[in-house]
Amino acid sequence: QITLKESGPTLVKPTQTLTLTCAFSGFSLTTPAVGVAWIRQPPGKALECLALIYWNDDKRYSPSLKSRLTITKDISKNQVVLTMTNMDPVDTATYYCAHRRVDSGDAYNSFDYWGQGTLVTVSS
Amino acid sequence: DIQLTQSPSTLSASVGDRVTITCRASQYISTWLAWYQQKPGKAPKLLIYDASTLQSGVPSRFSGSASGTEFTLTISSLQPDDFATYSCQQYTSYTWTFGQGTKVEVK
């Protein structure tokens, strides 16, 4: 049974760096084709995929946010961590981590398991 | 960037209705499209991937189709549990975009 759960601060100040952790179970990030993504959703708005890390440590980022994002994995802890620098009120959103479907090539990513999400508010 | 445009933004329907939601891509994406259902305060749930493949455990009243750059999600007979927001997602080579969502509400 695959599960994912996000954790991190609920409130950050503008210009601060956000660090979110995704703790998962039911799969391993050492297994070929496995990947975990971070996806966010501002209140009342569309979903936006931020970053994805693969089993082989390949990392892909949203082009518009690439300069602010870093995604890493900790195999021993079964965790994926996302850092986002220079936070702004427009970054207020629910942040999800999600497991990519493994029965497609690495370049083709839809998401079959999601965490419950964590709301991050950016305000001074 | 590949843009996805969903229509309508809101759809009012009754239990038992046949419901169709459209997602149009700004360029050709083959069949690299998924549909998700999302309820308030909950994470999205994958319904369909590769434009027409039903995710395991999803009821067969949900179906997807593709024609060029236009994709359709159909609910053959709307059930009470189906009132939710539906979003499409394209996933061509290492890119991902979601549509803005279609809310299916009670008529």
Side-chain angles (χ1 to χ4, degrees):
Chain A
Q1 178 191 1
I2 289 176
T3 64
L4 305 98
K5 187 173 184 179
E6 307 87 351
S7 61
T10 57
L11 179 66
V12 298
K13 292 182 176 5
T15 75
Q16 286 187 335
T17 294
L18 171 69
T19 299
L20 294 173
T21 300
C22 174
F24 59 85
S25 63
F27 65 93
S28 172
L29 258 173
T30 62
T31 302
V34 172
V36 173
W38 283 96
I39 299 164
R40 72 178 179 180
Q41 185 172 38
K45 296 189 176 182
L47 295 154
E48 178 184 23
C49 195
L50 305 177
L52 194 154
I53 189 165
Y54 294 88
W55 65 282
N56 58 0
D57 212 38
D58 186 17
K59 302 166 187 178
R60 302 286 170 160
Y61 296 99
S62 164
S64 62
L65 293 167
K66 185 175 183 177
S67 64
R68 299 174 52 204
L69 296 172
T70 303
I71 190 169
T72 59
K73 58 182 171 63
D74 187 328
I75 301 300
S76 64
K77 294 181 180 179
N78 276 354
Q79 291 180 345
V80 172
V81 175
L82 180 76
T83 61
M84 179 180 289
T85 62
N86 194 25
M87 292 292 285
D88 183 271
V90 299
D91 297 314
T92 293
T94 297
Y95 287 75
Y96 297 98
C97 58
H99 172 273
R100 72 174 294 270
R101 276 183 44 250
V102 298
D103 55 350
S104 61
D106 282 1
Y108 305 99
N109 295 282
S110 57
F111 306 102
D112 52 3
Y113 297 91
W114 295 63
Q116 63 190 19
T118 185
L119 176 61
V120 177
T121 301
V122 184
S123 175
S124 55
Chain B
D1 285 7
I2 298 173
Q3 308 299 320
L4 296 178
T5 303
Q6 285 186 237
S7 59
S9 297
T10 306
L11 188 160
S12 298
S14 302
V15 172
D17 284 354
R18 181 181 181 87
V19 167
T20 299
I21 299 168
T22 298
C23 177
R24 184 171 284 107
S26 61
Q27 58 187 269
Y28 183 68
I29 58 170
S30 185
T31 55
W32 302 117
L33 188 110
W35 288 98
Y36 298 86
Q37 176 194 69
Q38 190 174 22
K39 296 182 178 179
K42 300 295 186 181
K45 173 187 175 183
L46 178 65
L47 299 175
I48 287 169
Y49 61 90
D50 296 352
S52 61
T53 303
L54 201 65
Q55 171 71 354
S56 176
V58 174
S60 58
R61 62 180 180 272
F62 292 92
S63 63
S65 64
S67 178
T69 59
E70 187 166 296
F71 300 83
T72 300
L73 172 70
T74 299
I75 309 172
S76 60
S77 177
L78 194 68
Q79 297 302 300
D81 191 47
D82 300 339
F83 291 100
T85 297
Y86 295 84
S87 297
C88 55
Q89 178 221 343
Q90 69 82 19
Y91 46 98
T92 50
S93 182
Y94 294 114
T95 72
W96 324 278
T97 316
F98 289 85
Q100 81 278 17
T102 295
K103 183 179 180 180
V104 177
E105 64 178 21
V106 177
K107 187 173 184 179

